[in-house]
Amino acid sequence: MIRKIILGALLLLVVGGAAFAQMGPGAMGLGDDYFPNLGNGGYDVQHYTLDLDVDVETNTIIAHVTIEAIATQDLSQFTLDFGDFNIRGLTVNDQLAVYLQDGTEFTVRPVEPLPNGEPFTVDIRYIGTPEPIQHVIGAIGWINYGEDVYVASEPAGAASFYPVNDHPLDKATYSFRITVPEPYVVAANGLLQDTITEDGDTTYVWEASDPMASYLVTINIGDFVVQTGEGPDGLPIRNYFPSHLAAEGEAAFARQPEMLELFTELFGPYPFEAYGAVVVDRVLPFALETQTLSLFGTGILDGETSGSTPDELIVAHELAHQWFGDSVSLSQWREIWLNEGFATYAQLLWVEHSQGEEAFEANIAGYYSFIANPVFITQGTSAPGNPPPDELFASAVYVRGALTLHALRLRVGDEVFFDILRTYAERYRYGNSSTADFVALAEEVSGEELSALFNAWLYDPVIPDMPELGLSAPE
Ligand code: TRP
Ligand code: ZN
């Protein structure tokens, strides 16, 4: 008996010791060279369930979040990106766990280590006031001005209201259960599955069942009316407008089905279960391609979203992101041209379709002279493939990024060019890509050597000529 016990203890020591040797904490970043703290290593999230009881006037949330993940190494502890909240309960696999909060890094230590390859569930209850995160682009994340709420997080605002692996490399599906008092309405990503009203509060149950990057999560709480329609192949379209702006909203988004037709033809099947727009009742200086439900401010209704860009082109831009940015996501924020260059080029494809060849070429020439202007070049970045971290959303990324695709099209011809776009959208669907992946794929599909073209257009401080259109940079 005694011998047995000693042997058992010895065995435990040896086995436990061996296991412990390979075991370690998950990394506190995902290797993004611009934002090394974004995301975390050692696990792969499959699904988030966000159950939020929201008091809009006081901007407090009572939250219950569960995260289903798979360990990708033996984990002694792991980290999530998360703002500062009052934690009311934390378990991992139903066992109490301890945590350490350091800025936006929230480290969880389970009682039992988590073996590589095994699923685990994190369950967190917390309350507090979500604070927007200050990023170079401005305040991002959960935004509440006391009357309504919207969520716009690119590149890293999701952590303002839930614990998350906050990098596009770790996409996951989502369930939302958002409870608000009447008369608020909630619009989030995916499909509205249920509304449950009890004692004057309504819980909106939304399911997003395609993989989604955290910066594309959106939750909007306001006085909305919904307009429904259909896109290609019966795709459900639902647009949410402030109730006093329903007519203006319908007019501004009337051509979305036609845009969906065009982009489906040019890029391949629309990747998600639904599409639509949400217009929040506020003038915003931007729009965002939140997955399945792009977000706009009221400027989209009267031309004030983005000074010189017509509203219809912004509508097309956010739609095109669903293929490029949302379904196919970047792997490094440095390569943001893969999102913005593509969506900006898609605006011109819409011009080509809706206004004809002449208008299209005039737009290309306009882009070129804008971006080739020496005044412009001396301000900050000029090469779209490698913008400084504080200029991720600079015009060069959008405009010269778009021209890069046009240069490719002029080089390989229309048929091969659209074959490249469709092959790219299909091969990296729901996943991540890189500039190197795109260049390799373009070479594979076209059978041409294209590195000189891409190097010049993406990385040379001086904009290359576009001799086919008689365009060259001023001396
Ligand atoms: N991706 C947006 C676009 O369509 C621009 C953007 C970048 C943005 N960061 C944001 C919008 C943060 C809202 C919030 O071009
Ligand atoms: Zn964009």
Side-chain angles (χ1 to χ4, degrees):
M1 191 66 185
I2 287 173
R3 238 184 87 205
K4 254 192 187 159
I5 289 170
I6 293 171
L7 216 144
L10 248 168
L11 253 170
L12 238 174
L13 239 164
V14 172
V15 173
F20 204 79
Q22 306 155 4
M23 175 98 49
M28 284 169 77
L30 262 179
D32 193 288
D33 53 4
Y34 278 7
F35 307 115
N37 294 329
L38 289 191
N40 306 279
Y43 63 95
D44 179 6
V45 177
Q46 308 295 301
H47 189 79
Y48 294 89
T49 302
L50 309 185
D51 185 332
L52 310 179
D53 196 328
V54 183
D55 185 325
V56 179
E57 278 79 25
T58 62
N59 194 23
T60 41
I61 59 174
I62 303 172
H64 180 197
V65 170
T66 56
I67 301 173
E68 286 152 57
I70 296 173
T72 55
Q73 66 174 68
D74 289 329
L75 277 176
S76 57
Q77 62 181 46
F78 60 90
T79 300
L80 291 153
D81 303 300
F82 192 25
D84 204 358
F85 286 90
N86 186 343
I87 308 296
R88 291 302 176 87
L90 171 65
T91 64
V92 176
N93 294 336
D94 295 323
Q95 291 186 287
L96 289 178
V98 292
Y99 66 91
L100 179 78
Q101 177 97 46
D102 181 7
T104 54
E105 301 289 328
F106 182 81
T107 298
V108 178
R109 182 174 261 273
V111 227
E112 307 259 0
L114 304 167
N116 185 16
E118 293 293 317
F120 63 95
T121 303
V122 188
D123 189 294
I124 309 180
R125 290 171 192 272
Y126 57 96
I127 65 173
T129 297
E131 298 290 348
I133 291 176
Q134 294 301 326
H135 212 268
V136 282
I137 180 151
I140 49 174
W142 175 285
I143 315 284
N144 178 332
Y145 291 96
E147 290 167 0
D148 46 29
V149 172
Y150 69 90
V151 172
S153 297
E154 190 179 18
S160 66
F161 70 104
Y162 71 100
V164 55
N165 199 16
D166 206 359
H167 194 282
L169 281 171
D170 191 359
K171 299 189 190 188
T173 53
Y174 282 78
S175 305
F176 303 96
R177 298 177 60 87
I178 314 296
T179 304
V180 291
E182 306 213 332
Y184 286 111
V185 172
V186 179
N189 314 86
L191 294 171
L192 179 63
Q193 300 291 8
D194 207 358
T195 54
I196 305 151
T197 302
E198 221 179 81
D199 304 330
D201 284 347
T202 302
T203 301
Y204 288 79
V205 182
W206 286 83
E207 288 285 336
S209 44
D210 297 311
M212 175 160 64
S214 47
Y215 79 93
L216 298 170
V217 168
T218 194
I219 296 171
N220 303 277
I221 306 173
D223 172 23
F224 295 119
V225 288
V226 58
Q227 176 212 2
T228 57
E230 257 190 25
D233 303 316
L235 178 78
I237 297 181
R238 67 279 180 278
N239 297 318
Y240 283 79
F241 304 124
S243 62
H244 68 105
L245 295 170
E248 292 86 339
E250 292 203 18
F253 292 90
R255 297 191 82 177
Q256 260 182 175
E258 201 185 332
M259 291 173 181
L260 272 158
E261 295 279 354
L262 175 69
F263 293 158
T264 297
E265 188 188 314
L266 299 179
F267 309 150
Y270 177 78
F272 304 125
E273 58 205 322
Y275 190 62
V278 58
V279 176
V280 304
D281 199 0
R282 193 160 295 281
V283 179
L284 303 178
F286 52 73
L288 183 63
E289 63 269 25
T290 33
Q291 191 159 304
T292 73
L293 187 71
S294 292
L295 186 149
F296 303 81
T298 50
I300 199 70
L301 310 175
D302 54 24
E304 281 167 20
T305 297
S306 164
S308 55
T309 310
D311 292 340
E312 193 172 287
L313 298 191
I314 299 171
V315 173
H317 179 107
E318 307 312 332
L319 173 60
H321 269 308
Q322 304 297 314
W323 281 263
F324 303 114
D326 294 10
S327 170
V328 180
S329 297
L330 44 71
S331 306
Q332 290 273 340
W333 281 106
R334 181 197 291 274
E335 297 184 339
I336 184 70
W337 86 277
L338 292 170
N339 293 10
E340 301 306 346
F342 281 60
T344 305
Y345 191 60
Q347 295 176 200
L348 298 187
L349 295 173
W350 173 250
V351 169
E352 189 176 21
H353 166 85
S354 59
Q355 297 173 41
E357 210 53 37
E358 217 171 293
F360 172 71
E361 286 199 4
N363 270 269
I364 296 277
Y367 273 25
Y368 191 96
S369 63
F370 169 64
I371 215 73
N373 186 330
V375 172
F376 178 84
I377 286 181
T378 54
Q379 309 169 339
T381 184
S382 55
N386 193 20
D390 58 346
E391 293 197 43
L392 282 186
F393 301 99
S395 301
V397 170
Y398 286 70
V399 174
R400 195 166 139 185
L403 292 176
T404 300
L405 291 177
H406 195 57
L408 173 66
R409 181 174 170 188
L410 291 170
R411 168 74 177 269
V412 300
D414 282 15
E415 200 177 314
V416 173
F417 175 73
F418 289 108
D419 197 11
I420 289 170
L421 292 190
R422 278 188 296 271
T423 308
Y424 179 64
E426 192 194 347
R427 188 171 302 171
Y428 294 99
R429 183 177 160 111
Y430 305 144
N432 300 83
S433 75
S434 65
T435 300
D437 290 332
F438 181 68
V439 173
L441 183 144
E443 292 189 331
E444 174 196 319
V445 174
S446 67
E448 291 190 46
E449 210 285 310
L450 298 167
S451 60
L453 180 145
F454 281 110
N455 281 338
W457 276 96
L458 292 176
Y459 306 116
D460 194 329
V462 179
I463 188 169
D465 295 344
M466 201 172 256
E468 298 89 338
L469 299 181
L471 300 169
S472 56
E475 291 301 311

